[in-house]
Short mmCIF file of all heavy atoms in Angstrom, two decimals:
data_model
loop_
_atom_site.label_atom_id
_atom_site.label_comp_id
_atom_site.label_asym_id
_atom_site.label_seq_id
_atom_site.Cartn_x
_atom_site.Cartn_y
_atom_site.Cartn_z
N GLY A 1433 -8.13 -2.47 -0.21
CA GLY A 1433 -8.87 -1.21 -0.11
C GLY A 1433 -8.16 -0.05 -0.64
O GLY A 1433 -8.72 1.07 -0.70
N PHE A 1434 -6.88 -0.22 -1.06
CA PHE A 1434 -6.07 0.90 -1.50
C PHE A 1434 -5.42 0.55 -2.85
O PHE A 1434 -5.32 -0.63 -3.22
CB PHE A 1434 -5.01 1.29 -0.48
CG PHE A 1434 -5.51 1.79 0.80
CD1 PHE A 1434 -5.50 0.99 1.96
CD2 PHE A 1434 -6.06 3.05 0.89
CE1 PHE A 1434 -5.96 1.48 3.12
CE2 PHE A 1434 -6.54 3.54 2.11
CZ PHE A 1434 -6.53 2.75 3.23
N GLY A 1435 -4.90 1.60 -3.54
CA GLY A 1435 -4.16 1.36 -4.75
C GLY A 1435 -5.07 0.65 -5.79
O GLY A 1435 -6.24 0.97 -5.97
N ARG A 1436 -4.44 -0.31 -6.48
CA ARG A 1436 -5.18 -1.06 -7.46
C ARG A 1436 -5.66 -2.41 -6.90
O ARG A 1436 -6.13 -3.30 -7.65
CB ARG A 1436 -4.36 -1.27 -8.73
CG ARG A 1436 -4.04 0.07 -9.43
CD ARG A 1436 -3.10 -0.11 -10.56
NE ARG A 1436 -3.79 -0.49 -11.80
CZ ARG A 1436 -4.31 0.34 -12.70
NH1 ARG A 1436 -4.29 1.66 -12.47
NH2 ARG A 1436 -4.89 -0.09 -13.78
N SER A 1437 -5.47 -2.61 -5.59
CA SER A 1437 -6.02 -3.80 -4.95
C SER A 1437 -7.54 -3.65 -4.85
O SER A 1437 -8.09 -2.57 -4.94
CB SER A 1437 -5.42 -3.97 -3.57
OG SER A 1437 -4.10 -4.43 -3.64
N GLU A 1438 -8.17 -4.83 -4.67
CA GLU A 1438 -9.64 -4.82 -4.59
C GLU A 1438 -10.14 -4.08 -3.39
O GLU A 1438 -9.43 -3.99 -2.34
CB GLU A 1438 -10.12 -6.27 -4.56
CG GLU A 1438 -11.59 -6.46 -4.94
CD GLU A 1438 -11.90 -7.87 -5.35
OE1 GLU A 1438 -11.02 -8.58 -5.78
OE2 GLU A 1438 -13.07 -8.23 -5.18
N LYS A 1439 -11.34 -3.54 -3.47
CA LYS A 1439 -11.94 -2.74 -2.39
C LYS A 1439 -13.30 -3.32 -2.06
O LYS A 1439 -14.35 -2.70 -2.32
CB LYS A 1439 -12.01 -1.29 -2.83
CG LYS A 1439 -10.65 -0.69 -3.19
CD LYS A 1439 -10.78 0.63 -3.90
CE LYS A 1439 -9.41 1.18 -4.20
NZ LYS A 1439 -8.59 0.32 -5.16
N PRO A 1440 -13.34 -4.51 -1.45
CA PRO A 1440 -14.63 -5.12 -1.15
C PRO A 1440 -15.37 -4.44 -0.01
O PRO A 1440 -14.80 -3.68 0.76
CB PRO A 1440 -14.18 -6.58 -0.69
CG PRO A 1440 -12.80 -6.35 -0.08
CD PRO A 1440 -12.17 -5.28 -0.94
N ALA A 1441 -16.67 -4.71 0.03
CA ALA A 1441 -17.51 -4.10 1.07
C ALA A 1441 -17.35 -4.89 2.35
O ALA A 1441 -18.21 -5.64 2.77
CB ALA A 1441 -18.98 -4.05 0.64
N THR A 1442 -16.20 -4.76 3.00
CA THR A 1442 -15.90 -5.45 4.23
C THR A 1442 -15.56 -4.41 5.28
O THR A 1442 -15.57 -3.26 5.10
CB THR A 1442 -14.71 -6.42 4.00
OG1 THR A 1442 -14.57 -7.24 5.15
CG2 THR A 1442 -13.42 -5.67 3.76
N HIS A 1443 -15.28 -4.93 6.48
CA HIS A 1443 -14.90 -4.02 7.61
C HIS A 1443 -13.37 -3.93 7.63
O HIS A 1443 -12.69 -4.91 7.94
CB HIS A 1443 -15.45 -4.59 8.93
CG HIS A 1443 -16.94 -4.52 9.00
ND1 HIS A 1443 -17.63 -3.43 9.32
CD2 HIS A 1443 -17.84 -5.47 8.74
CE1 HIS A 1443 -18.92 -3.67 9.28
NE2 HIS A 1443 -19.09 -4.92 8.94
N TYR A 1444 -12.87 -2.80 7.30
CA TYR A 1444 -11.42 -2.55 7.26
C TYR A 1444 -10.92 -2.20 8.65
O TYR A 1444 -11.38 -1.21 9.27
CB TYR A 1444 -11.07 -1.43 6.28
CG TYR A 1444 -11.38 -1.80 4.84
CD1 TYR A 1444 -12.64 -1.51 4.26
CD2 TYR A 1444 -10.44 -2.48 4.05
CE1 TYR A 1444 -12.93 -1.87 2.94
CE2 TYR A 1444 -10.72 -2.82 2.75
CZ TYR A 1444 -11.95 -2.52 2.21
OH TYR A 1444 -12.26 -2.88 0.92
N THR A 1445 -9.97 -2.94 9.16
CA THR A 1445 -9.40 -2.70 10.47
C THR A 1445 -7.87 -2.93 10.38
O THR A 1445 -7.36 -3.56 9.40
CB THR A 1445 -9.93 -3.60 11.56
OG1 THR A 1445 -9.47 -4.96 11.31
CG2 THR A 1445 -11.47 -3.60 11.58
N GLN A 1446 -7.17 -2.48 11.38
CA GLN A 1446 -5.73 -2.73 11.40
C GLN A 1446 -5.45 -4.22 11.49
O GLN A 1446 -4.40 -4.68 11.00
CB GLN A 1446 -5.07 -1.97 12.57
CG GLN A 1446 -5.60 -2.33 13.96
CD GLN A 1446 -6.77 -1.45 14.38
OE1 GLN A 1446 -7.56 -0.97 13.53
NE2 GLN A 1446 -6.89 -1.19 15.67
N HIS A 1447 -6.37 -4.99 12.05
CA HIS A 1447 -6.17 -6.44 12.15
C HIS A 1447 -6.23 -7.05 10.76
O HIS A 1447 -5.47 -8.02 10.49
CB HIS A 1447 -7.21 -7.05 13.07
CG HIS A 1447 -7.34 -6.35 14.40
ND1 HIS A 1447 -6.30 -6.21 15.23
CD2 HIS A 1447 -8.43 -5.74 14.99
CE1 HIS A 1447 -6.71 -5.52 16.33
NE2 HIS A 1447 -7.97 -5.23 16.16
N LEU A 1448 -7.12 -6.55 9.93
CA LEU A 1448 -7.23 -7.10 8.57
C LEU A 1448 -5.91 -6.82 7.80
O LEU A 1448 -5.37 -7.72 7.12
CB LEU A 1448 -8.40 -6.44 7.85
CG LEU A 1448 -8.62 -6.82 6.38
CD1 LEU A 1448 -9.15 -8.28 6.32
CD2 LEU A 1448 -9.62 -5.89 5.72
N TRP A 1449 -5.45 -5.61 7.87
CA TRP A 1449 -4.23 -5.21 7.10
C TRP A 1449 -3.00 -5.95 7.65
O TRP A 1449 -2.12 -6.36 6.90
CB TRP A 1449 -4.04 -3.74 7.17
CG TRP A 1449 -5.06 -2.97 6.34
CD1 TRP A 1449 -5.47 -3.30 5.08
CD2 TRP A 1449 -5.82 -1.83 6.71
NE1 TRP A 1449 -6.44 -2.37 4.64
CE2 TRP A 1449 -6.62 -1.50 5.64
CE3 TRP A 1449 -5.84 -1.07 7.89
CZ2 TRP A 1449 -7.52 -0.40 5.64
CZ3 TRP A 1449 -6.73 0.05 7.91
CH2 TRP A 1449 -7.52 0.33 6.81
N GLU A 1450 -2.92 -6.13 8.97
CA GLU A 1450 -1.79 -6.89 9.55
C GLU A 1450 -1.79 -8.35 9.04
O GLU A 1450 -0.78 -8.89 8.69
CB GLU A 1450 -1.82 -6.88 11.06
CG GLU A 1450 -0.65 -7.64 11.69
CD GLU A 1450 -0.76 -7.85 13.15
OE1 GLU A 1450 -1.49 -7.08 13.84
OE2 GLU A 1450 -0.12 -8.79 13.68
N ALA A 1451 -2.98 -8.93 9.00
CA ALA A 1451 -3.14 -10.29 8.48
C ALA A 1451 -2.72 -10.38 7.01
O ALA A 1451 -2.09 -11.37 6.63
CB ALA A 1451 -4.55 -10.78 8.64
N GLN A 1452 -3.03 -9.38 6.26
CA GLN A 1452 -2.66 -9.34 4.84
C GLN A 1452 -1.12 -9.31 4.70
O GLN A 1452 -0.55 -10.03 3.87
CB GLN A 1452 -3.30 -8.16 4.12
CG GLN A 1452 -2.97 -8.07 2.64
CD GLN A 1452 -3.37 -6.78 1.98
OE1 GLN A 1452 -3.93 -5.91 2.67
NE2 GLN A 1452 -3.09 -6.67 0.68
N ILE A 1453 -0.48 -8.48 5.49
CA ILE A 1453 0.95 -8.32 5.43
C ILE A 1453 1.60 -9.66 5.83
O ILE A 1453 2.54 -10.15 5.14
CB ILE A 1453 1.46 -7.21 6.35
CG1 ILE A 1453 0.98 -5.84 5.89
CG2 ILE A 1453 2.99 -7.22 6.48
CD1 ILE A 1453 1.21 -4.72 6.88
N ALA A 1454 1.13 -10.30 6.85
CA ALA A 1454 1.68 -11.58 7.30
C ALA A 1454 1.52 -12.66 6.23
O ALA A 1454 2.50 -13.39 5.99
CB ALA A 1454 1.04 -12.02 8.64
N ASP A 1455 0.36 -12.73 5.61
CA ASP A 1455 0.12 -13.74 4.61
C ASP A 1455 0.96 -13.46 3.34
O ASP A 1455 1.44 -14.38 2.68
CB ASP A 1455 -1.34 -13.80 4.24
CG ASP A 1455 -2.19 -14.51 5.32
OD1 ASP A 1455 -1.59 -15.22 6.16
OD2 ASP A 1455 -3.40 -14.31 5.32
N PHE A 1456 1.16 -12.18 3.05
CA PHE A 1456 1.98 -11.82 1.85
C PHE A 1456 3.44 -12.29 2.08
O PHE A 1456 4.04 -12.84 1.15
CB PHE A 1456 1.97 -10.31 1.65
CG PHE A 1456 2.71 -9.84 0.45
CD1 PHE A 1456 2.12 -9.91 -0.83
CD2 PHE A 1456 4.03 -9.38 0.56
CE1 PHE A 1456 2.85 -9.51 -1.95
CE2 PHE A 1456 4.74 -8.97 -0.54
CZ PHE A 1456 4.17 -9.02 -1.80
N VAL A 1457 3.93 -12.12 3.29
CA VAL A 1457 5.32 -12.56 3.59
C VAL A 1457 5.38 -14.10 3.50
O VAL A 1457 6.33 -14.65 2.93
CB VAL A 1457 5.77 -12.08 4.95
CG1 VAL A 1457 7.12 -12.65 5.32
CG2 VAL A 1457 5.82 -10.52 4.98
#
Side-chain angles (χ1 to χ4, degrees):
F1434 296 106
R1436 297 175 83 88
S1437 286
E1438 199 162 334
K1439 301 166 179 65
T1442 190
H1443 294 278
Y1444 293 91
T1445 70
Q1446 59 269 31
H1447 309 303
L1448 178 71
W1449 290 314
E1450 180 190 338
Q1452 181 190 1
I1453 294 171
D1455 286 343
F1456 183 83
V1457 174

